Amino acid sequence: MDQMATGNCSSISAQESLPELEINAQQAGFLPSVILSEIYRGKSGKVFYPRYTQAAKALHWALDRLSGWELPGKEHVEEYIRSMYRRNFRPRTYASALTAIYDFLTGVRGSGKTRLEEITKHDIEAFIEHEQDRGMMLSTVRTRLHCVNAFLGYLMDAGIVSTDVLARRIRLRKPETLPRAMDPDDVRQLLSVIDPPRDRAMILVLLRTGMRIGELLNTRIPDLHLRDRKIDIYEGEKNRLGRVVYLSGDAMSALRAWLKIRDPQKVFLFYATGTNSMAYSTARLIFEKYITKSGLTHKGYSLHALRHTFASELLNAGMRIECLQPLMGHSSLDVTRRYARLTDKTREEEYFRAMTIIEGGEKDGHHRLDHPIQALLEEKERLTEYR
């Protein structure tokens, strides 16, 4: 595909700090992209952003990059991005949408089409094949396809694109893999090599609360309630659902040790040296350092495995799945049920009890279990004999 504006469509982190410039409140977020590129671009060519919310900054960022596009329907993309801003989408969503839409429209232009009205279902199929040929992960292709479908849905509502384009949406089947939890012995081995108070507190809080790493890194001191042994998550990282998580005894001890030495002037609970916060990449490197130190590199554990381990251990300890769902922040119980498949102790016990009987064998070669279904069948057989 055309690489003309690849740099303009690169992803932006939600926590990325942007240069700032004071501007009248009535101007922010409501200027045409052409004007934005003139007002915010300094002599060196560097783009400056006003002192506004992350959402407003993301809108300026997106419109500035959009101004450099030479693709069909650019004005409709701008209208779509502005609608995302009005509907309170997350800042990082602008970047994901722009990247996917840019690649899709580049393919449309490459097929010789110059108007959005000419888009057909074939263009979507070609986009999927292009993404797969690039070696993109299935989950990434699904995400980018969702961005394109959302944009096309917006165009359909506006009467620009035919409803036939999304009449029967293309769905990419994703394998229902089991969550990858850490073995209990591996958890003990990992914790045994973590001594720095900050790192130990961070790992234990993730392990004992099931928080997503982004949720923990966004946790501020006022969100932590030591007396009540809980943390308030006002907005979930993935689905924007707020929830409360609770702190175990070992997590509490680790947090108290960290709070004794942390800088009280810092707003966020965890921060990297010399900064006021901690980036995801830093947290991942910290985790990987201790995975290597504990000799568990070959196991392939990721930072997210701590969340999977939290869920698996609670189910193994007898917690009902209906109680686990809100702790995990899942909007659907079906998502939480994945962990039940991983930790179904009843099924496991039934299997080994049955296999013990099968392997032991009986004189007549039959294996009987006092099972309700078997009793029902026998009762039906007796009634049949007396008819």
Side-chain angles (χ1 to χ4, degrees):
M1 279 194 178
D2 189 354
Q3 300 297 316
M4 176 181 58
T6 302
N8 287 343
C9 296
S10 59
S11 296
I12 181 173
S13 169
Q15 295 183 353
E16 180 180 347
S17 60
L18 300 172
E20 297 171 340
L21 179 68
E22 295 293 346
I23 190 171
N24 186 285
Q26 294 180 345
Q27 293 176 312
F30 301 97
L31 296 175
S33 57
V34 176
I35 298 178
L36 277 171
S37 64
E38 294 175 355
I39 289 181
Y40 295 108
R41 199 172 294 278
K43 294 180 179 179
S44 63
K46 190 173 183 179
V47 178
F48 295 90
Y49 298 86
R51 189 180 298 277
Y52 276 90
T53 64
Q54 284 288 346
K57 291 178 182 178
L59 176 65
H60 298 323
W61 176 91
L63 295 181
D64 180 74
R65 277 144 185 78
L66 182 59
S67 66
W69 287 20
E70 295 296 338
L71 292 172
K74 184 174 72 173
E75 67 280 5
H76 297 298
V77 179
E78 178 169 336
E79 293 171 3
Y80 176 64
I81 294 298
R82 289 185 181 280
S83 74
M84 294 176 68
Y85 176 75
R86 292 191 293 270
R87 288 180 289 161
N88 197 32
F89 277 74
R90 287 184 174 181
R92 71 181 64 182
T93 308
Y94 303 152
S96 300
L98 269 181
T99 304
I101 294 172
Y102 174 80
D103 286 345
F104 174 71
L105 292 181
T106 301
V108 171
R109 184 184 64 181
S111 66
K113 299 174 182 178
T114 59
R115 300 166 60 247
L116 295 184
E117 290 81 355
E118 300 176 79
I119 291 177
T120 65
K121 199 178 194 69
H122 175 73
D123 295 307
I124 303 177
E125 296 170 347
F127 172 73
I128 295 172
E129 291 178 5
H130 177 268
E131 297 298 284
Q132 292 173 333
D133 291 344
R134 293 171 61 192
M136 306 283 277
M137 294 179 60
L138 179 59
S139 58
T140 304
V141 177
R142 281 165 55 103
T143 299
R144 290 164 68 83
L145 176 60
H146 175 76
C147 292
V148 170
N149 283 341
F151 174 60
L152 292 175
Y154 174 83
L155 296 178
M156 284 172 48
D157 292 340
I160 299 169
V161 170
S162 170
T163 56
D164 294 337
V165 175
L166 295 179
R168 295 184 62 183
R169 295 199 179 191
I170 302 173
R171 304 188 184 279
L172 304 182
R173 295 180 62 86
K174 184 179 180 181
E176 294 187 15
T177 56
L178 289 174
R180 181 171 175 75
M182 295 183 67
D183 184 84
D185 291 334
D186 293 343
V187 172
R188 287 188 286 271
Q189 192 170 333
L190 173 64
L191 294 178
S192 68
V193 301
I194 307 176
D195 294 321
R198 182 201 65 182
D199 300 350
R200 186 171 183 83
M202 184 175 71
I203 298 299
L204 269 170
V205 170
L206 289 171
L207 183 64
R208 301 307 189 206
T209 65
M211 295 176 72
R212 301 177 180 93
I213 182 59
E215 295 168 343
L216 181 60
L217 297 181
N218 285 327
T219 298
R220 300 167 182 258
I221 289 298
D223 303 333
L224 173 65
H225 306 282
L226 287 178
R227 179 178 299 179
D228 298 327
R229 298 176 59 167
K230 67 181 184 180
I231 296 177
D232 295 332
I233 304 174
Y234 289 98
E235 183 178 317
E237 177 73 11
K238 201 168 185 179
N239 53 21
R240 311 191 81 169
L241 289 178
R243 70 186 190 280
V244 174
V245 294
Y246 304 98
L247 297 165
S248 63
D250 54 356
M252 285 286 293
S253 299
L255 272 174
R256 286 196 176 100
W258 164 235
L259 291 173
K260 286 180 181 179
I261 64 172
R262 73 178 295 279
D263 185 350
Q265 301 300 318
K266 304 289 187 181
V267 176
F268 291 99
L269 177 58
F270 293 101
Y271 55 87
T273 304
T275 65
N276 295 317
S277 60
M278 181 183 293
Y280 168 78
S281 57
T282 302
R284 178 174 54 81
L285 289 174
I286 290 172
F287 176 77
E288 291 177 350
K289 177 179 71 174
Y290 293 115
I291 284 291
T292 301
K293 188 175 180 180
S294 58
L296 299 173
T297 306
H298 63 288
K299 294 294 187 73
Y301 292 133
S302 66
L303 193 57
H304 202 65
L306 297 174
R307 176 172 161 86
H308 295 325
T309 305
F310 165 79
S312 300
E313 290 184 338
L314 285 182
L315 287 176
N316 283 335
M319 174 175 277
R320 290 182 294 111
I321 195 169
E322 293 83 2
C323 294
L324 178 61
Q325 180 191 354
L327 289 177
M328 295 292 288
H330 291 154
S331 57
S332 169
L333 191 61
D334 290 337
V335 179
T336 316
R337 285 198 180 99
R338 295 185 308 154
Y339 296 96
R341 297 205 308 269
L342 182 67
T343 60
D344 193 333
K345 285 295 182 183
T346 301
R347 184 187 306 155
E348 180 181 335
E349 291 169 359
E350 287 282 338
Y351 168 81
F352 285 112
R353 184 160 66 91
M355 288 306 299
T356 299
I357 297 173
I358 293 172
E359 291 175 348
E362 292 184 1
K363 290 182 180 179
D364 58 2
H366 297 287
H367 310 290
R368 288 176 55 92
L369 285 176
D370 293 330
H371 195 281
I373 296 179
Q374 184 172 349
L376 181 64
L377 292 174
E378 291 176 350
E379 178 67 17
K380 182 178 180 181
E381 185 177 348
R382 282 196 297 270
L383 292 174
T384 303
E385 292 176 357
Y386 292 100
R387 284 183 180 176

